[in-house]
Amino acid sequence: MRISLISKIFRIAAGTISLLSFLPLTAQTMVPWVTRSADNSRSGWNAHETILTQASVGTKGIVRSTIIPLAGDARGMEAQPLILPQVTTSRGVRDVMVLPSMANVVRGVDAHDGSGIWQVQLGTPIDGTRAIDGWGINQHWGCVSTGVIDPELKRLYQVCWVVPNAHGTPMPAAPASSDPKAARYFMFVLNVGDGSMVTPPVMIQGSSNGQDFNGYPRKQRSSLVETNVAGVKTVLGCSGTIDETDPGAAGYCFAFDVASNTQTAIFATTAGEGAGIWMAGQGAAADAQGNLYVITGNGDFDGATQWGESFLKLKYTPPSGSTKANIAVVDHWTPWTDMGRSGGQAPPAGKLAGMNAATEAMSKPVGSGMNMSLKNARVETSMSAEGKLSVRVYPDMAQGAWADEDWGSAGPACIFPLGVCVASGKDGIAFPIKTTNMGGTTVADLKNPPANCAKLAGAPVWLTVDPGPVDPCPTDPTVLNFFPWGDTAHMHMTPVQYFDPVLNSWTIFAWGENNQLHKWKVSDTGTLSYLAQSNEFASSEVRTTVQHGGMPGGFCSGSSNGADPNTAILACTIPYRDANKAVTNGRLLVYDPVHLAADGSLKVLWDSQAEGIAFLFNKFDPPVIDGGHIYVPNYNGGVDVYQLTR
């Protein structure tokens, strides 16, 4: 499958509402999908799906029935589609899907056939440049994160990056549209029924920890979340900084009051020394009490005001009388520091978000026959616990590069009924953390990693790949500085949560870079046990053939009809090549997440590769399963819609 084929197909469809409409789309019962990954625990699971089941997918198969086009941007959208059923619109009562593009164009469409209902322009986006994205993937930078819908008010809350003075945003003279330093983020509140603005755009701004949010170009990729504590509805979002290792870089979280449509609080995770909140676009998880759970990336750590490489529990306190609202860290756990990972050497300066120093250090210099770090690499082999060969490649490169092992490369899987959040990052190691008593890691605790890990709900495990007998919580964290089989095993997908009624246990599904989909059991106390994996590999065309393979692994969502194990399915997208450095083709797979295949692997029910279906892979966007449809955002500038073949 070639990119040129997809481009040709999409050009044929230019100016149309739907593409490849082989079959009529019949309205099915849909459920609200109002936040990224379905709910505030970020489970990625729809437990009310009655159409797509193991039997229906396995016997009928599925077909790409239409492609919903987006406006103004070659890549389309980075946000996950959101759905609110039974909304009164100019076209009658419809199940409305909201699609915000990177061009700051938001479309409201019929979720069944993709036909347009309304469309609004939320100001001028920033032109894509290598100062924002080192690989030049995106045409524009506008509505980057997934918003959130309040189903009672029927309102969309969406943050977009805007060139000032566009669409009435209250700013001084407008800069060039390619200048991210002068651009600003605004909260837009739209009626889902017609796209009209509820209130003028509200600029995200404020100072915290000695840092000004608008003092440096931020990247608000992390999705929004809405909480309701004692009747106070609040929308919260988080961000990182583009130049994430430069002075002034910081992660932020901000609060927006739903009743007054005003920003009420902002919180910086460091005093200008990193700790961005990325999580591959995932939003903060939120429990029933409104506490937020996030993982930070590169940055300093002191356990007081500097929260780099940490799992944080944040509490938002609304304003009361003369007391201002605030966001504060109430608990945390930290596995290591950047300095600890790099043997005391500082992280590389000037590193853009989205770049990985360790993999960049592996890139072959121009005109050379082999990268010196690989030529001088140490290779170790051993047998895994399952009796399989494991290979670890330790490149001979500057240790400072290993300071870029962002723990916050994926969102946490928070199984709140168990009081456990499973946090993972670029090492592919999963740490099951207690939500009620995380441990409050101190700088002194990091001198004794085994004791620090003893505070966890269960022992850490290698979630995405088995590298052999390597302690995932070693006394010396530089022991972790290797590539399994010479490739990365980064985790970017937030693990999907599913209570497996056959096992009578919670399970999670995780798909790391250059590896297979893995299923793990989570015990009542939080202990992780390996169950099975797929035969299919992410980035299959480059793993083991080029230096460090490809990004970003797989992204999945699941569904079932209640607790019926025979109705459960898992839909996943993976790239064929490295989707971080270039636009590449993608593959959609539908699995049976309960019953294993004869060889003990996760069973494939349907595979786009077998059907010859081509699309451009969207590197951080999971599918949505709802009402008999699987929605897959692509980088062709649209959203693919799949349904049963009739």
Side-chain angles (χ1 to χ4, degrees):
M1 289 179 285
R2 313 299 295 178
I3 292 176
S4 58
L5 170 63
I6 307 176
S7 299
K8 181 178 180 181
I9 291 174
F10 200 74
R11 284 197 301 271
I12 293 172
T16 64
I17 293 297
S18 62
L19 169 66
L20 302 180
S21 296
F22 302 121
L23 303 163
L25 297 175
T26 303
Q28 305 290 346
T29 300
M30 306 194 81
V31 297
W33 192 290
V34 297
T35 192
R36 175 159 164 150
S37 297
D39 49 48
N40 281 5
S41 68
R42 310 303 185 184
S43 71
W45 199 272
N46 171 11
H48 305 281
E49 173 59 43
T50 61
I51 307 301
L52 297 171
T53 66
Q54 295 158 24
S56 64
V57 173
T59 57
K60 294 184 178 182
I62 60 177
V63 63
R64 183 170 60 184
S65 56
T66 191
I67 298 178
I68 307 172
L70 293 163
D73 188 86
R75 299 281 74 84
M77 60 192 286
E78 295 289 331
Q80 189 179 47
L82 299 179
I83 301 170
L84 186 62
Q86 298 297 290
V87 179
T88 300
T89 74
S90 61
R91 297 180 55 198
V93 176
R94 298 295 178 111
D95 296 337
V96 178
M97 173 176 284
V98 177
L99 305 173
S101 82
M102 286 283 271
N104 285 343
V105 178
V106 183
R107 296 194 68 203
V109 304
D110 187 300
H112 301 282
D113 62 16
S115 59
I117 300 173
W118 53 263
Q119 179 172 305
V120 295
Q121 176 76 51
L122 302 182
T124 304
I126 312 304
D127 292 339
T129 68
R130 294 186 183 273
I132 302 173
D133 168 21
W135 306 114
I137 300 297
N138 295 94
Q139 181 186 4
H140 298 296
W141 288 87
C143 301
V144 185
S145 67
T146 305
V148 64
I149 293 175
D150 184 310
E152 295 175 334
L153 297 175
K154 294 181 170 53
R155 292 175 180 174
L156 167 71
Y157 296 83
Q158 179 70 50
V159 171
C160 300
W161 207 6
V162 178
V163 174
N165 270 352
H167 209 85
T169 50
M171 290 293 297
S177 60
S178 60
D179 183 8
K181 294 181 180 179
R184 297 291 183 265
Y185 285 99
F186 289 85
M187 177 73 79
F188 293 88
V189 185
L190 306 179
N191 286 307
V192 175
D194 59 12
S196 61
M197 284 195 187
V198 174
T199 186
V202 178
M203 187 194 306
I204 305 302
Q205 59 186 320
S207 297
S208 171
N209 214 350
Q211 301 300 304
D212 177 10
F213 179 81
N214 287 315
Y216 293 87
R218 312 300 176 185
K219 188 178 284 187
Q220 202 277 306
R221 183 181 285 281
S222 180
S223 301
L224 306 186
V225 63
E226 183 180 46
T227 62
N228 187 338
V229 180
V232 179
K233 291 185 178 181
T234 309
V235 172
L236 300 107
C238 301
S239 78
T241 302
I242 291 176
D243 296 303
E244 62 176 344
T245 59
D246 283 359
Y252 283 86
C253 289
F254 52 86
F256 184 86
D257 181 69
V258 168
S260 63
N261 288 317
T262 59
Q263 181 189 327
T264 54
I266 195 163
F267 166 76
T269 55
T270 66
E273 298 176 33
I277 298 174
W278 306 105
M279 304 189 297
Q282 185 59 276
D287 62 22
Q289 291 72 45
N291 297 303
L292 306 182
Y293 301 82
V294 300
I295 314 175
T296 64
N298 297 323
D300 282 356
F301 170 80
D302 63 10
T305 61
Q306 309 279 68
W307 300 106
E309 309 291 17
S310 297
F311 185 85
L312 304 180
K313 181 177 182 178
L314 303 174
K315 180 177 179 59
Y316 169 68
T317 303
S320 177
S322 60
T323 304
K324 294 182 178 180
N326 78 297
I327 302 171
V329 176
V330 293
D331 206 351
H332 73 282
W333 188 84
T334 305
W336 29 256
T337 64
D338 291 342
M339 287 291 194
R341 285 302 300 266
S342 64
Q345 297 189 37
K351 192 190 78 68
L352 290 176
M355 310 279 280
N356 181 252
T359 56
E360 286 308 295
M362 290 274 286
S363 297
K364 184 170 66 177
V366 176
S368 69
M370 176 181 285
N371 181 284
M372 293 304 294
S373 62
L374 282 176
K375 183 178 180 180
N376 300 319
R378 183 176 89 255
V379 179
E380 294 185 358
T381 61
S382 59
M383 301 303 292
S384 70
E386 289 76 31
K388 299 178 181 179
L389 178 67
S390 294
V391 177
R392 299 178 295 280
V393 178
Y394 296 81
D396 181 21
M397 60 187 183
Q399 285 293 301
W402 289 107
D404 185 24
E405 288 302 287
D406 298 90
W407 195 30
S409 64
C414 288
I415 308 177
F416 290 125
L418 299 182
V420 172
C421 289
V422 180
S424 185
K426 285 185 178 177
D427 288 311
I429 299 171
F431 300 88
I433 302 169
K434 302 173 185 176
T435 60
T436 56
N437 184 14
M438 295 180 178
T441 303
T442 65
V443 173
D445 288 335
L446 295 177
K447 297 178 181 179
N448 188 351
N452 190 39
C453 285
K455 299 177 181 181
L456 299 170
V461 300
W462 292 93
L463 189 73
T464 62
V465 64
D466 184 350
V470 179
D471 185 355
C473 186
T475 300
D476 176 8
T478 63
V479 170
L480 304 174
N481 297 347
F482 63 87
F483 293 150
W485 294 93
D487 294 329
T488 55
H490 299 175
M491 187 65 178
H492 294 280
M493 162 192 169
T494 299
V496 171
Q497 309 165 32
Y498 171 59
F499 187 85
D500 190 320
V502 174
L503 297 174
N504 194 34
S505 173
W506 283 97
T507 59
I508 60 172
F509 296 85
W511 202 327
E513 290 176 4
N514 307 297
N515 285 287
Q516 302 134 296
L517 172 66
H518 285 66
K519 180 180 181 180
W520 290 80
K521 179 180 177 179
V522 186
S523 75
D524 290 346
T525 58
T527 300
L528 293 165
S529 304
Y530 168 81
L531 293 174
Q533 63 194 42
S534 70
N535 289 320
E536 297 73 36
F537 284 85
S539 299
S540 59
E541 293 182 0
V542 295
R543 61 175 294 271
T544 73
T545 63
V546 299
Q547 295 163 7
H548 65 70
M551 281 183 64
F555 283 82
C556 305
S557 296
S559 68
S560 62
N561 185 3
D564 183 351
N566 297 315
T567 63
I569 64 169
L570 190 71
C572 304
T573 58
I574 52 173
Y576 283 103
R577 302 183 67 82
D578 184 356
N580 191 45
K581 293 185 177 181
V583 178
T584 184
N585 291 309
R587 183 179 182 184
L588 172 65
L589 292 135
V590 181
Y591 289 92
D592 178 340
V594 177
H595 313 95
L596 301 182
D599 64 355
S601 67
L602 291 168
K603 185 191 302 183
V604 176
L605 300 172
W606 186 87
D607 184 356
S608 66
Q609 179 174 282
E611 301 297 324
I613 296 176
F615 63 93
L616 296 181
F617 178 78
N618 187 312
K619 67 178 178 181
F620 288 146
D621 218 342
V624 170
I625 306 174
D626 200 350
H629 309 292
I630 301 175
Y631 302 94
V632 179
N634 60 51
Y635 267 179
N636 299 92
V639 177
D640 295 350
V641 185
Y642 296 83
Q643 66 177 48
L644 293 175
T645 302
R646 303 179 200 231

